[in-house]
Amino acid sequence: MKTVVYLLIATVLFSCKQRPEEIPHYLRKDNFTVLRVIIKNDSNQILMIGGKDWWGMPYVNLSKRQFLKEAIDSMAVEHGIEIENIEFRGQFCFKYDYKPNMTFRNYYVAHYKSGEIKVPKNTLEDEFEKIEWVDEGEAIERNGNTGIKEITRHILNNPDEVWGGSFMVSHTEDDHPTTMVESFYPLFQSRHKK
């Protein structure tokens, strides 16, 4: 009888264990990486996705067993497009004063190649409702998170360097104020910079 009870408990515990890709980012306790891609078209517009009360650039939480390019290409397909000329532009650290983990945010810039944009399917992370091409200045300002806004502005204004920096994210009732704790610093600078 004891053996049956132990097996039953073990089965219940095992079936309740979730894989990281099945846990929303705001509930995760482990560190993880987010790949965010600034996708530009020939008109120098940036692709933006949005939900009920937020806007941002396409991203993927790197929690599945994928290579970086594989994850970025899969994300582009979810948005109905194909991209090219993917360039790494920065790695940033986000710590939180309200939870134990941190995230690395890797930023890339890519060029739209083809396809018709579409709203990606909803995930555990976000409810997607809209997608559109937006002029660069407006795209920067639409980002709700101060850290993401500043990173995007810095990357677009300094295209010949790869950047690093760190941010602290707080939590209030309706917002997540973000403060830079390590100023932007170059991780790589092109030898061809003019």
Side-chain angles (χ1 to χ4, degrees):
M1 181 66 173
K2 278 185 177 179
T3 304
V4 172
V5 170
Y6 288 133
L7 285 173
L8 182 59
I9 292 171
T11 302
V12 169
L13 290 174
F14 181 76
S15 65
C16 291
K17 184 172 169 72
Q18 291 180 305
R19 296 186 309 251
E21 64 267 19
E22 297 172 339
I23 302 171
H25 75 279
Y26 51 86
L27 294 177
R28 290 182 61 169
K29 296 193 181 337
D30 60 327
N31 300 334
F32 62 97
T33 301
V34 176
L35 308 179
R36 192 170 292 273
V37 186
I38 301 169
I39 301 170
K40 297 175 90 173
N41 65 17
D42 288 336
S43 300
N44 209 33
Q45 295 175 311
I46 293 175
L47 187 63
M48 299 288 290
I49 55 171
K52 183 178 179 183
D53 56 2
W54 63 271
W55 281 98
M57 289 159 300
Y59 68 92
V60 60
N61 287 334
L62 197 60
S63 54
K64 294 181 182 176
R65 190 171 182 262
Q66 294 179 308
F67 294 115
L68 295 173
K69 185 157 182 346
E70 182 181 18
I72 291 170
D73 287 342
S74 294
M75 181 268 315
V77 168
E78 286 280 321
H79 292 74
I81 62 172
E82 190 176 347
I83 57 176
E84 61 187 356
N85 303 327
I86 301 166
E87 297 179 358
F88 179 63
R89 290 297 175 86
Q91 184 174 58
F92 305 91
C93 178
F94 280 65
K95 286 173 65 175
Y96 307 87
D97 67 4
Y98 58 95
K99 60 182 182 175
N101 64 333
M102 53 78 57
T103 59
F104 284 110
R105 309 283 178 103
N106 291 351
Y107 274 71
Y108 297 83
V109 172
H111 188 265
Y112 163 80
K113 182 177 179 182
S114 64
E116 291 292 322
I117 59 173
K118 67 177 184 178
V119 175
K121 67 180 180 179
N122 292 323
T123 67
L124 285 174
E125 302 290 329
D126 288 305
E127 295 286 324
F128 300 112
E129 297 180 359
K130 48 201 170 198
I131 186 168
E132 63 187 47
W133 292 105
V134 179
D135 291 333
E136 189 174 297
E138 184 183 342
I140 292 169
E141 294 307 317
R142 272 198 195 183
N143 284 293
N145 180 290
T146 306
I148 294 171
K149 186 181 296 188
E150 292 308 314
I151 290 169
T152 305
R153 182 186 333 274
H154 199 76
I155 286 172
L156 292 173
N157 288 338
N158 301 278
D160 294 322
E161 295 173 294
V162 176
W163 295 96
S166 297
F167 296 83
M168 177 62 77
V169 182
S170 299
H171 181 67
T172 62
E173 197 169 307
D174 295 329
D175 200 10
H176 290 86
T178 306
T179 306
M180 181 180 275
V181 294
E182 283 183 348
S183 296
F184 295 120
Y185 51 88
L187 298 174
F188 172 80
Q189 186 173 47
S190 172
R191 290 180 235 193
H192 306 291
K193 185 178 177 185
K194 297 178 181 178

XYZ file of all heavy atoms in Angstrom, residues 41 43-48 132-142 156:
156
model
N 11.989 48.381 -42.467
C 11.653 48.165 -43.872
C 12.378 49.194 -44.739
O 13.144 50.020 -44.227
C 10.132 48.177 -44.096
C 9.491 49.522 -43.803
O 10.141 50.568 -43.719
N 8.174 49.507 -43.621
N 11.320 51.799 -46.094
C 10.896 53.172 -45.792
C 11.434 53.638 -44.439
O 10.989 54.664 -43.912
C 9.363 53.263 -45.786
O 8.849 52.897 -47.041
N 12.358 52.875 -43.869
C 12.979 53.185 -42.569
C 11.955 53.182 -41.429
O 12.104 53.881 -40.440
C 13.723 54.515 -42.622
C 14.883 54.531 -41.641
O 15.507 53.504 -41.379
N 15.180 55.698 -41.098
N 10.903 52.387 -41.585
C 9.926 52.211 -40.518
C 10.282 50.968 -39.715
O 10.979 50.078 -40.207
C 8.526 52.052 -41.114
C 8.026 53.282 -41.830
C 6.702 53.014 -42.501
O 6.541 52.028 -43.214
N 5.739 53.910 -42.288
N 9.778 50.911 -38.499
C 10.061 49.807 -37.583
C 8.770 49.041 -37.328
O 7.702 49.633 -37.135
C 10.658 50.341 -36.270
C 12.042 50.941 -36.565
C 10.749 49.251 -35.216
C 12.690 51.604 -35.392
N 8.868 47.719 -37.304
C 7.705 46.876 -37.044
C 7.383 46.891 -35.551
O 8.245 46.647 -34.720
C 7.972 45.439 -37.506
C 6.778 44.491 -37.431
C 5.655 44.961 -38.354
C 7.209 43.088 -37.803
N 6.114 47.180 -35.233
C 5.653 47.223 -33.847
C 4.481 46.270 -33.676
O 3.626 46.154 -34.556
C 5.196 48.634 -33.473
C 6.267 49.706 -33.578
S 7.518 49.595 -32.291
C 6.591 50.092 -30.844
N 1.904 46.821 -36.863
C 1.992 47.824 -37.920
C 3.407 48.360 -38.061
O 4.218 48.250 -37.144
C 1.009 48.971 -37.684
C 1.252 49.776 -36.432
C 0.135 50.792 -36.158
O -1.048 50.411 -36.231
O 0.469 51.946 -35.865
N 3.667 48.936 -39.228
C 4.922 49.636 -39.478
C 4.776 51.061 -38.960
O 3.771 51.715 -39.213
C 5.245 49.662 -40.969
C 5.571 48.313 -41.527
C 4.769 47.535 -42.319
C 6.781 47.578 -41.349
N 5.402 46.363 -42.637
C 6.661 46.366 -42.053
C 7.970 47.825 -40.653
C 7.657 45.404 -42.087
C 8.974 46.867 -40.692
C 8.821 45.674 -41.394
N 5.802 51.533 -38.230
C 5.732 52.845 -37.584
C 7.029 53.599 -37.877
O 8.114 53.014 -37.863
C 5.551 52.672 -36.053
C 5.502 54.008 -35.355
C 4.306 51.857 -35.753
N 6.921 54.914 -38.122
C 8.119 55.729 -38.323
C 9.033 55.608 -37.111
O 8.563 55.469 -35.977
C 7.749 57.191 -38.558
C 7.060 57.412 -39.904
O 7.305 56.612 -40.835
O 6.284 58.369 -40.015
N 10.341 55.681 -37.353
C 11.349 55.396 -36.331
C 11.143 56.176 -35.030
O 11.142 55.598 -33.946
C 12.739 55.685 -36.901
C 13.861 55.232 -36.015
C 15.213 55.413 -36.675
O 15.470 54.775 -37.715
O 16.023 56.202 -36.131
N 10.991 57.497 -35.110
C 10.829 58.307 -33.899
C 9.613 57.907 -33.086
O 9.675 57.796 -31.857
N 8.510 57.676 -33.762
C 7.286 57.260 -33.079
C 7.434 55.863 -32.483
O 6.939 55.586 -31.392
C 6.100 57.291 -34.046
C 4.789 56.951 -33.372
C 3.615 56.903 -34.332
O 3.711 57.443 -35.454
O 2.592 56.306 -33.945
N 8.131 54.981 -33.197
C 8.337 53.614 -32.694
C 9.098 53.629 -31.374
O 8.750 52.903 -30.441
C 9.083 52.783 -33.734
N 10.117 54.459 -31.287
C 10.888 54.556 -30.041
C 9.972 54.985 -28.901
O 9.970 54.388 -27.824
C 12.070 55.534 -30.199
C 13.105 54.957 -31.162
C 12.703 55.857 -28.842
C 14.179 55.936 -31.600
N 9.173 56.019 -29.137
C 8.319 56.567 -28.077
C 7.164 55.646 -27.697
O 6.679 55.705 -26.582
C 7.796 57.944 -28.484
C 8.892 58.994 -28.588
C 9.750 59.106 -27.338
O 9.206 59.085 -26.216
O 10.984 59.203 -27.488
N 6.729 54.792 -28.607
C 5.603 53.887 -28.302
C 5.963 52.823 -27.265
O 5.083 52.294 -26.607
C 5.135 53.177 -29.569
C 4.101 53.939 -30.312
C 3.391 53.018 -31.270
N 2.639 53.791 -32.243
C 1.884 53.254 -33.155
N 1.769 51.948 -33.250
N 1.237 54.011 -34.012
N 19.744 52.711 -32.356
C 19.464 53.333 -33.650
C 20.331 54.574 -33.891
O 20.692 54.873 -35.026
C 17.981 53.675 -33.768
C 17.050 52.460 -33.844
C 15.592 52.900 -33.792
C 17.321 51.627 -35.093
